[in-house]
Amino acid sequence: MAEIIRKLRKKKWVIPVIIIGIAAVAIYFGTTAVRTSRLGVPNYQVKTASAERGTIELTVAGTGSLEAADSVNVQIPSILSVADMKVALGDQVKAGDVLATLDAGALQSSISQVQSDITAIDDQINTAKNSSAEATINAPVAGRVKAIAAAPDDDVTNTMVQDGYLVELSVDGRMKANIQSGSDPGAGSAVIVTLSDGSRINGTILSSGPSSFVVTTTDNGPAPGEQVSVQTNGGEELGSGTLEISTPLNVVGNGGTVKSVNVSLNAGVSQGQTLVTLKDSVSVLQYQELAQKRIAYANLLQLLLKYEETNSIVAETGGSVTAIPSGQQPGSANSPQVDINNLLNNLPLSLGSGMGPAAIAQSYGSADAPVFTYASASHNKPGQRTGFTFVSDAGPVSDRGSGSSTGSAPDTGPGSAASVPLASPPDPVTEIVGVIAVPVTQPVLGGTPQVTIPSGTGYTGTVTWSPVAAFFGPGTVYTAGVTLKADPGYRFADTINATVAGATVSDFSVSPEAEQNTVTLKAAFPATAALPAGVDLNQYINSAVQKNLQDSLNQSVNDAVNSAINGIANNDALQNSLNNSLNGAIDSAVSGIGNVPITIDGSSLFPSTGSASTSTAMTTLCTITPGKSFTLTAGINESDIFSVKAGQKANIVMDAMLNNIFSGEVSKVSTVGTSQSGVTAYPVTVKLDAAKTPLLSGMNATANIVTEIKENVLTIPMDALQEQGDQEYVYLYDSSQPPRQRNGQPVGTRQAVTTGISDGVNVEVTSGLKKGEAIVYTVAESNSLQDAFIAMGGARNGRGGTQSGGAAGTANTSSPNSAGNASP
């Protein structure tokens, strides 16, 4: 040992090194022990509570954006001409602000026209009032009169509403009665039927059973509802019952006043025999229709006179301008827009004598020469006259098929379908989303109804019109029925929307197919223009066609002939010869055609417009949203949707104002959901209650919908509830002792409980506790040093995450308060 010390003394530098090393080891293990001690045992806060009665609400949440529910369409007569629109989209307006100014001249013209229309309607009303038109109601089949509901001077409509018929016939000659009886006389047996006045008539058993049978007898005499009794031919009583018509037929009517009833009860009638004569059956209905029309025109005149005072349209309510139809531009009133060429090429015509159907086709020697064809064109609609078209085919002869009258290349200019080639549909199916601007041309007087929608990216479409017409007539409101069909590999998203410029869209729907589904909608346009003042429909169309026919024919023919002659190159003699002979002949023919009288029946082209030529239809100038009423459409998860019903209350929080809670009520629950990332959500509409805090359309919000509410139930904090397996329990607290915990567990007596619903903060206790009983529980506190070491360890180990064991306060968690034994 001495030797060792001696050697160490020779190396004095070694001793400090050893001492420092020992100290470092001690510090390391001491620090590690302290760290392990502090990190291994979390800090717990001991809390107490008592079972108290209260209210618990169950909620489901969904997010969405606000939509204004109080938008007002500013409606103006469609005949007005807007000179200057004074507001733009998004402007704020107050009640009384000028929205638009009007064309003063057009306004005065409209007032005069409406006054003339009212005078014309008054004349028709007087004619209808003085009419004594009569009509008859006849027997549709032969039979016997068994009931008469009509009487002279009765209103037919009132009688139909009250009784359901004017005259009731028996058409098979029999009455029948169901007889309750213990006897079974057998089907086909002859019996005696005794009527209520004691008279007896023959009867026959139609069908029978152990407890009842049906007897039939003549319909000549017995009345429906009469009580009868039935006996065997031997006098045995079989039972009694009530007669009814075996095979009844109700004779009905639909309007007018009864002048006379021409038959009596029990009378036999033949088919076509007059049963009831009516008076004013036509004139009364016509009078009512005209009276309603006059009211509409009187209201229109009153409105026009109101506008005349200021020559402007003013806002009746304040708010934001949220929509302005594209048609509401300066000068966009309903002035006649008639395409004469369109009329010439499409109107069914009746030509005078000497001009039968003709087809003239002439090709000239060159392969590139055009062919001019004049052909009669048959219209497929029944009863429609033949028409004519002139077309020029300038394509090579080799490219033209037999009988073709056209040869122009497809339109590949901007906006045409050919200029926007569709990409090959991707796999899987591509959804068409957003808002589709459907290109439907607004109806104009004399225009041809559009029947197809140009191809879009992933879809095509068709259009039908109501009312149906070959051409758009004057003063008529037309509604386009649009159907869009997705192409193979595409589908319309359930959230898709669509707009039609200048129209009001309604009845919008999306079919549910996973591919190639359809979108349908209706687009109502403002009424077409009225005819020029004092001009008859037939006069207007015929004069336009007659005036332009010869010029149109002459130009079309000469263009085609000149093109053909010029195509014959290097042969002046042949050109001159053709020019002289062909042009001379064609000019003569065209002149002849121009002198042929042409008549067009306008009533066959357009719906009836009645006596007045001015439309009383209204159109939308703009839409104003006061912003006082809103709805929220929130997406609710498929796992919660069955608990949501109309009428449930909701609490709404806006993303832009988290400290405000707005109230509302569920107004609609949709059964058509949308799927995203494998989760389906269903739109639920919540109507917000009126609030003083201003809101704006488009704001994002979350709705917490109250699906179940329990009042006056026993509740405890969710954190106090412990679980072990399928058992739930709490620790009762001895108030004589301070609240304590041992190793993270509360010191108390373990008490089993059963629970009901929970809102995540409190839980309902249905048994095991009484009101006022005290409980004790612990809640793990956050340890900043522990968290720091966890973070360091996570970074050192190359992985993130948190320490296992769960977060404090999580509902129905069992760590660390779920030990199986009560605390000592």
Side-chain angles (χ1 to χ4, degrees):
M1 183 67 179
E3 181 64 20
I4 294 173
I5 294 174
R6 183 180 64 80
K7 291 180 177 179
L8 290 176
R9 284 176 178 172
K10 291 182 179 179
K11 299 179 178 180
K12 295 180 181 181
W13 59 271
V14 175
I15 294 175
V17 172
I18 294 174
I19 293 172
I20 292 172
I22 293 171
V25 172
I27 291 172
Y28 172 78
F29 284 106
T31 303
T32 302
V34 171
R35 185 183 68 179
T36 304
S37 173
R38 295 190 65 183
L39 296 182
V41 181
N43 295 327
Y44 292 97
Q45 181 182 3
V46 182
K47 292 188 175 183
T48 62
S50 61
E52 301 294 344
R53 294 202 170 273
T55 299
I56 291 184
E57 295 179 347
L58 283 185
T59 63
V60 298
T63 59
S65 57
L66 293 185
E67 297 177 5
D70 54 356
S71 297
V72 177
N73 289 330
V74 179
Q75 296 285 308
I76 64 172
S78 61
I79 61 173
L80 288 180
S81 177
V82 175
D84 189 13
M85 199 73 185
K86 295 296 185 181
V87 294
L89 196 64
D91 285 356
Q92 287 284 335
V93 298
K94 303 185 299 295
D97 285 354
V98 175
L99 302 176
T101 57
L102 302 173
D103 184 320
L107 178 59
Q108 289 298 324
S109 176
S110 297
I111 291 174
S112 299
Q113 183 61 48
V114 172
Q115 289 173 329
S116 299
D117 291 336
I118 291 176
T119 300
I121 294 173
D122 287 341
D123 292 341
Q124 289 200 329
I125 289 176
N126 289 328
T127 300
K129 289 173 65 176
N130 297 328
S131 173
S132 59
E134 292 187 356
T136 60
I137 295 178
N138 304 323
V141 296
R144 188 176 300 278
V145 178
K146 299 305 298 181
I148 299 175
D153 297 325
D154 281 354
D155 181 88
V156 169
T157 301
N158 292 341
T159 303
M160 287 297 305
V161 170
Q162 181 176 342
D163 299 295
Y165 63 90
L166 302 179
V167 176
E168 188 172 37
L169 302 178
S170 168
V171 297
D172 66 354
R174 297 189 297 180
M175 304 291 287
K176 66 180 181 180
N178 188 48
I179 309 298
Q180 299 296 319
S181 174
S183 301
D184 184 2
S189 301
V191 293
I192 301 297
V193 178
T194 301
L195 305 179
S196 57
D197 62 0
S199 59
R200 305 174 71 187
I201 56 178
N202 294 327
T204 302
I205 303 300
L206 180 64
S207 62
S208 64
S211 60
S212 66
F213 60 87
V214 176
V215 63
T216 64
T217 188
T218 178
D219 65 1
N220 189 7
E226 186 173 355
Q227 293 293 315
V228 297
S229 59
V230 180
Q231 302 85 29
T232 65
N233 288 332
E236 177 186 354
E237 193 69 31
L238 297 177
S240 61
T242 303
L243 285 177
E244 59 183 273
I245 302 171
S246 175
T247 305
L249 185 145
N250 291 335
V251 179
V252 299
N254 63 0
T257 303
V258 176
K259 179 179 181 181
S260 63
V261 178
N262 305 322
V263 291
S264 58
L265 286 175
N266 281 314
V269 296
S270 57
Q271 182 179 2
Q273 181 175 336
T274 297
L275 306 178
V276 177
T277 300
L278 304 178
K279 59 182 178 181
D280 301 333
S281 60
V282 176
S283 61
V284 169
L285 295 177
Q286 184 183 10
Y287 172 79
Q288 293 172 346
E289 179 183 349
L290 291 169
Q292 291 298 320
K293 184 179 290 187
R294 191 190 193 284
I295 292 173
Y297 275 85
N299 291 338
L300 175 60
L301 178 61
Q302 183 179 7
L303 193 57
L304 295 177
L305 293 174
K306 174 185 174 182
Y307 293 147
E308 186 185 25
E309 296 176 358
T310 60
N311 202 43
S312 61
I313 309 294
V314 299
E316 295 184 0
T317 184
S320 301
V321 179
T322 53
I324 298 178
S326 59
Q328 295 302 348
Q329 302 298 333
S332 62
N334 299 307
S335 57
Q337 303 175 45
V338 180
D339 184 348
I340 297 301
N341 287 330
N342 190 39
L343 284 174
L344 284 171
N345 286 325
N346 292 283
L347 286 175
L349 305 177
S350 175
L351 301 181
S353 61
M355 285 301 300
I360 305 172
Q362 178 69 48
S363 68
Y364 300 87
S366 171
D368 295 326
V371 170
F372 176 76
T373 302
Y374 167 54
S376 62
S378 297
H379 294 264
N380 295 327
K381 293 188 177 181
Q384 202 170 55
R385 299 176 175 87
T386 55
F388 62 89
T389 57
F390 284 90
V391 293
S392 178
D393 184 349
V397 173
S398 58
D399 292 340
R400 294 192 299 267
S402 174
S404 172
S405 61
T406 61
S408 57
D411 182 10
T412 58
S416 69
S419 66
V420 188
L422 298 180
S424 299
D427 187 19
V429 172
T430 298
E431 282 202 330
I432 303 170
V433 299
V435 179
I436 299 174
V438 183
V440 180
T441 302
Q442 181 168 335
V444 294
L445 175 61
T448 303
Q450 178 182 342
V451 295
T452 60
I453 300 294
S455 299
T457 303
Y459 65 89
T460 56
T462 59
V463 186
T464 60
W465 293 91
S466 177
V468 177
F471 304 94
F472 292 124
T476 305
V477 175
Y478 288 93
T479 299
V482 177
T483 299
L484 305 178
K485 183 173 180 61
D487 292 337
Y490 290 86
R491 82 176 299 274
F492 293 103
D494 297 324
T495 56
I496 196 74
N497 205 341
T499 61
V500 178
T504 301
V505 175
S506 63
D507 295 351
F508 183 90
S509 66
V510 183
S511 69
E513 288 86 355
E515 183 179 0
Q516 288 190 276
N517 61 338
T518 58
V519 166
T520 59
L521 59 92
K522 291 182 179 179
F525 288 91
T528 52
L531 287 172
V535 177
D536 174 76
L537 174 64
N538 287 342
Q539 174 191 350
Y540 179 73
I541 295 175
N542 282 291
S543 61
V545 173
Q546 191 71 53
K547 178 178 181 295
N548 290 275
L549 177 60
Q550 185 167 346
D551 291 342
S552 176
L553 293 178
N554 190 63
Q555 186 63 46
S556 297
V557 172
N558 283 333
D559 287 347
V561 171
N562 289 333
S563 177
I565 294 174
N566 292 334
I568 304 174
N570 302 321
N571 196 331
D572 294 339
L574 181 57
Q575 285 184 347
N576 292 333
S577 175
L578 286 173
N579 187 61
N580 293 333
S581 59
L582 288 177
N583 281 340
I586 291 172
D587 287 343
S588 176
V590 169
S591 299
I593 294 174
N595 294 326
V596 173
I598 302 174
T599 58
I600 302 173
D601 182 7
S603 63
S604 66
L605 302 177
F606 307 113
S608 173
T609 57
S611 61
S613 60
T614 306
S615 171
T616 59
M618 306 292 283
T619 189
T620 299
L621 176 72
C622 64
T623 301
I624 296 177
T625 301
K628 303 296 184 182
S629 178
F630 292 90
T631 61
L632 169 66
T633 300
I636 302 298
N637 191 285
E638 58 186 316
S639 60
D640 298 321
I641 191 62
F642 286 113
S643 63
V644 180
K645 297 176 176 60
Q648 292 173 337
K649 300 299 180 182
N651 298 314
I652 299 99
V653 178
M654 308 295 160
D655 290 359
M657 46 185 79
L658 296 177
N659 294 329
N660 291 11
I661 298 179
F662 300 86
S663 60
E665 181 178 294
V666 176
S667 61
K668 180 181 178 182
V669 179
S670 176
T671 58
V672 178
T674 57
S675 182
Q676 187 173 6
S677 301
V679 178
T680 301
Y682 293 82
V684 172
T685 303
V686 178
K687 183 178 181 181
L688 276 68
D689 297 336
K692 295 182 180 179
T693 304
L695 298 171
L696 296 175
S697 295
M699 282 186 166
N700 295 323
T702 299
N704 294 292
I705 301 170
V706 180
T707 59
E708 184 176 358
I709 183 169
K710 285 191 174 183
E711 298 177 339
N712 195 31
V713 295
L714 202 63
T715 66
I716 60 171
M718 192 72 191
D719 289 341
L721 183 66
Q722 312 296 318
E723 290 182 342
Q724 185 177 21
D726 58 356
Q727 186 182 38
E728 297 175 317
Y729 59 91
V730 296
Y731 287 114
L732 296 178
Y733 167 55
D734 183 357
S735 58
S736 65
Q737 300 290 332
R740 295 177 295 143
Q741 60 94 10
R742 182 174 298 158
N743 296 328
Q745 297 190 36
V747 176
T749 303
R750 178 168 162 165
Q751 174 66 43
V753 296
T754 57
T755 60
I757 67 172
S758 171
D759 59 8
V761 177
N762 297 307
V763 61
E764 174 192 9
V765 177
T766 57
S767 66
L769 288 179
K770 296 179 181 178
K771 180 182 178 183
E773 282 192 286
I775 56 177
V776 63
Y777 60 100
T778 60
V779 177
E781 291 184 318
S782 175
N783 187 321
S784 59
L785 180 60
Q786 176 187 14
D787 295 342
F789 274 111
I790 290 171
M792 291 172 61
R796 184 170 55 251
N797 295 331
R799 61 180 184 269
T802 58
Q803 186 178 8
S804 62
T810 302
N812 288 339
T813 59
S814 58
S815 175
N817 298 340
S818 56
N821 300 316
S823 298

